[in-house]
Structures are given as structure tokens and as C-alpha cells.
Amino acid sequence: NSSFQAAIKILGISHLRLIARENISVEQFDKALTQLESLYPLQKPRLLKAIAHVIMHDGVVQPLEIQLFRAIAQNLDCPVPPLISN
């Protein structure tokens, strides 16, 4: 997946692998979020930038993607302002 590869480049790491959506449980996602909480404060914005890049890669930003992005940011104590106005 080219968007995932671009995100890895933004993060500056190479040891990540993309897991198929059907192989991810809510429990695994929650565990991953808990692990991400331990990132150094300056690493968190870089992670959010990589996530945003993946979301926008196809040129279509879905409401669920925005909600998930905001939830991850909030979980990292790095809230983002609303990105879309009505």
C-alpha cells in the first residue's frame, strides 16, 4: 500500500508492517493505542501527520476517518481542532 509506505517514511521507521483489516480486533486496536500513549511528546504530532497522510492519500476523506483521527489524537493528549466546517 503506497499510502502506508509514505506514512512509514514520514515516521522515519522501517520495521512496521501493514495488517489486513479483517485481522485486527478492537482489543488489538485498544492495546496499540495504549502503547502509543508512551510516545515522547514530540513524536505524537509526527504520528498524527503520518495518519493524516494516509487518510488523505486517496483524495477522499470520509467522516469515519476524521472521527477516528480525532479519537486517536485525543487519546494521545494531542487534540486537533475541527478540520471541516458545516
Side-chain angles (χ1 to χ4, degrees), residues 25 57 63 75:
S25 68
H57 183 75
N75 190 70

Side-chain angles (χ1 to χ4, degrees), residues 3-16 36 39-56 69 72-73 76-80:
S3 63
F4 182 74
Q5 294 303 319
I8 288 175
K9 193 173 194 175
I10 291 169
L11 292 171
I13 51 179
S14 60
H15 61 278
L16 293 179
L36 290 173
L39 287 173
Y40 292 113
L42 294 177
Q43 292 174 317
K44 293 176 182 183
R46 179 183 259 175
L47 173 63
L48 292 176
K49 181 179 178 183
I51 294 170
H53 180 83
V54 171
I55 289 171
M56 296 183 294
F69 178 79
I72 292 169
L76 295 175
D77 289 327
C78 196
V80 293

Side-chain angles (χ1 to χ4, degrees), residues 55 61-71:
I55 289 171
V61 179
Q62 300 292 330
L64 183 58
E65 293 171 323
I66 295 169
Q67 290 174 355
L68 186 55
F69 178 79
R70 292 180 61 75

